[in-house]
Amino acid sequence: MSYITIDNINSINAQLSNYCNAACPMCARYFIDGVLNKERINSIHTTLDFLKDRIGERLIRQLTRFTSCGNLGDGSMNPECLEIYQWLRHTNKNINLMLHTNGGARNSDFWRELAKIGVHVTFAIDGLEDTNHLYRRNVQWSKLMKNVQAFIDAGGSATWAMLVFKHNELQIEQCRTLSTQLGFKHFGVQQSSRWADFDHIGNWRNMDKIPVSNYYLEKSSLLQASPMGSGGNSQKINITKDEFLTKTIKCKSYNLEKNFFEIYLAANGDVSPCCWLGDLKQHESKNIIKEYTKVNLHHSTLEEILRGDYFQELEKGIKGIENSYRLHTCYFTCGIS
């Protein structure tokens, strides 16, 4: 069986917007030195008409999941966010709809309506009233709590996802208790994978703290860095040339065992297998993309993109075919067989 195709796709992760109300210091919206990457943000939303025209109802009907967990923005910032999820639900009654958000945008009416559509929302809440804003900068606690309560009271299914730092590590159990009191279905903790990672130009960095305004964000000693839902980053320490070049990668966007095949759709129309590959013009993918119109839905059909050079080169690298270009991101995020 070949890699991700127009016939086997059953999940889409869409960056519905590259706008965000927050200013999280370790977000991909920022360079390693803390400078905002203004050329890549606050410029575009994925429109409903674009999804109807370039994705289409036939493909939506074959999906089991549609989620928005954007690299450079928060899906709730899209002015058509509700309309998009309403269209998805109307087109496919059985689809699992999800949204990842900081929860600080929009108003209670928006979140109540989202709950009625049946969207499962993961709220990124990194502490309590005295700590959440230290990472989720610009998110107002009182508004966040109103939005959360409106969503849950309207029947919404919610997860509390907490990034742990030194400044909030002693609040984990308090947050867990509060999540239960508020009616969250799930509560999870994790440490950012970006303490040890490649920066936007491919340089390796390993840090324990970063400066933010008049304070520091410091790494927690209680948790190991491991992205939620991924294979973790332990291989960054134990990498060997032989296995990096030859072993088959367990691509989580192409999982035959679980019958799961996903694509990531950026707000600018770029298509890749997953959000971990980041901005295709800044991260490693730029080394194997010959023409960007060939990976962008504004210029090519989805079928043309999936059958094109980029996805073919990714497949060769994932399989460890001799002389193929293997992305470090694939190796470090998903791991090897």
Side-chain angles (χ1 to χ4, degrees):
M1 190 175 186
S2 58
Y3 196 48
I4 302 167
T5 70
I6 197 71
D7 295 317
N8 66 21
I9 294 173
N10 53 26
S11 180
I12 291 178
N13 179 5
Q15 177 190 310
L16 293 180
S17 175
N18 69 0
Y19 286 76
C20 188
N21 58 301
C24 305
M26 297 174 75
C27 175
R29 294 167 63 85
Y30 289 85
F31 292 120
I32 188 172
D33 56 4
V35 176
L36 194 64
N37 185 358
K38 294 181 180 179
E39 293 184 2
R40 293 286 185 264
I41 62 167
N42 299 346
S43 59
I44 192 169
H45 303 292
T46 301
T47 68
L48 176 57
D49 283 343
F50 176 78
L51 291 174
K52 287 181 176 180
D53 180 51
R54 308 306 290 175
I55 298 297
E57 292 188 357
R58 186 191 71 81
L59 182 56
I60 296 300
R61 283 193 289 268
Q62 80 182 41
L63 299 182
T64 60
R65 187 176 86 164
F66 183 100
T67 188
S68 180
C69 181
N71 284 335
L72 300 175
D74 192 304
S76 69
M77 296 291 288
N78 187 318
E80 292 185 301
C81 183
L82 277 179
E83 289 80 1
I84 288 171
Y85 277 105
Q86 287 168 342
W87 172 69
L88 292 166
R89 176 63 69 211
H90 175 76
T91 305
N92 185 340
K93 304 293 184 184
N94 298 316
I95 191 172
N96 291 311
L97 298 175
M98 293 175 283
L99 171 69
H100 291 245
T101 178
N102 62 63
R106 310 299 286 261
N107 57 30
S108 297
D109 290 339
F110 170 87
W111 295 102
R112 275 191 286 267
E113 290 303 312
L114 203 64
K116 293 176 184 178
I117 299 169
V119 180
H120 181 92
V121 174
T122 296
F123 290 93
I125 307 175
D126 305 328
L128 300 171
E129 185 172 8
D130 62 332
T131 56
N132 184 63
H133 66 282
L134 295 178
Y135 185 70
R136 303 287 164 182
R137 295 183 298 172
N138 298 338
V139 175
Q140 299 176 10
W141 183 260
S142 58
K143 185 174 184 180
L144 167 62
M145 288 296 103
K146 286 180 182 178
N147 289 343
V148 164
Q149 203 62 70
F151 178 78
I152 293 176
D153 287 349
S157 174
T159 291
W160 179 322
M162 179 181 179
L163 280 180
V164 178
F165 302 91
K166 187 175 181 179
H167 66 258
N168 65 6
E169 62 185 11
L170 298 181
Q171 295 182 330
I172 293 175
E173 291 310 313
Q174 289 175 274
C175 291
R176 191 189 308 274
T177 298
L178 179 58
S179 75
T180 300
Q181 293 172 346
L182 292 173
F184 279 88
K185 299 291 186 183
H186 308 283
F187 175 85
V189 297
Q190 62 183 124
Q191 184 156 241
S192 174
S193 65
R194 292 189 173 122
W195 289 111
D197 206 347
F198 293 95
D199 67 18
H200 68 284
I201 57 174
N203 294 320
W204 177 255
R205 60 180 177 132
N206 196 337
M207 303 178 297
D208 291 321
K209 68 178 183 179
I210 60 171
V212 183
S213 301
N214 60 344
Y215 61 94
Y216 281 90
L217 282 178
E218 296 185 67
K219 186 177 180 180
S220 171
S221 60
L222 299 182
L223 297 174
Q224 295 297 315
S226 180
M228 184 176 288
S230 85
N233 291 349
S234 60
Q235 290 183 93
K236 291 180 179 179
I237 301 172
N238 301 315
I239 183 172
T240 67
K241 182 177 180 180
D242 178 64
E243 69 177 22
F244 173 73
L245 293 176
T246 62
K247 299 287 187 179
T248 300
I249 288 172
K250 298 181 294 185
C251 177
K252 289 182 171 58
S253 292
Y254 178 75
N255 192 320
L256 282 170
E257 189 175 315
K258 294 185 178 181
N259 191 35
F260 181 78
F261 310 103
E262 183 173 76
I263 58 167
Y264 174 71
L265 173 61
N268 69 353
D270 284 347
V271 177
S272 60
C274 74
C275 64
W276 288 99
L277 297 184
D279 188 317
L280 299 187
K281 289 186 178 179
Q282 288 198 332
H283 292 261
E284 284 185 294
S285 292
K286 65 185 179 183
N287 295 319
I288 57 175
I289 294 176
K290 300 173 183 176
E291 187 177 346
Y292 279 94
T293 59
K294 302 297 185 182
V295 297
N296 189 283
L297 271 181
H298 287 283
H299 304 280
S300 301
T301 67
L302 182 56
E303 186 166 10
E304 288 171 341
I305 294 171
L306 297 178
R307 296 174 60 183
D309 291 340
Y310 176 47
F311 272 75
Q312 288 184 25
E313 290 302 311
L314 283 173
E315 182 180 6
K316 292 176 183 176
I318 287 169
K319 292 180 177 179
I321 295 175
E322 188 175 0
N323 296 324
S324 63
Y325 189 100
R326 169 164 287 188
L327 300 187
H328 287 76
T329 304
C330 295
Y331 178 85
F332 291 140
T333 303
C334 290
I336 56 175
S337 299

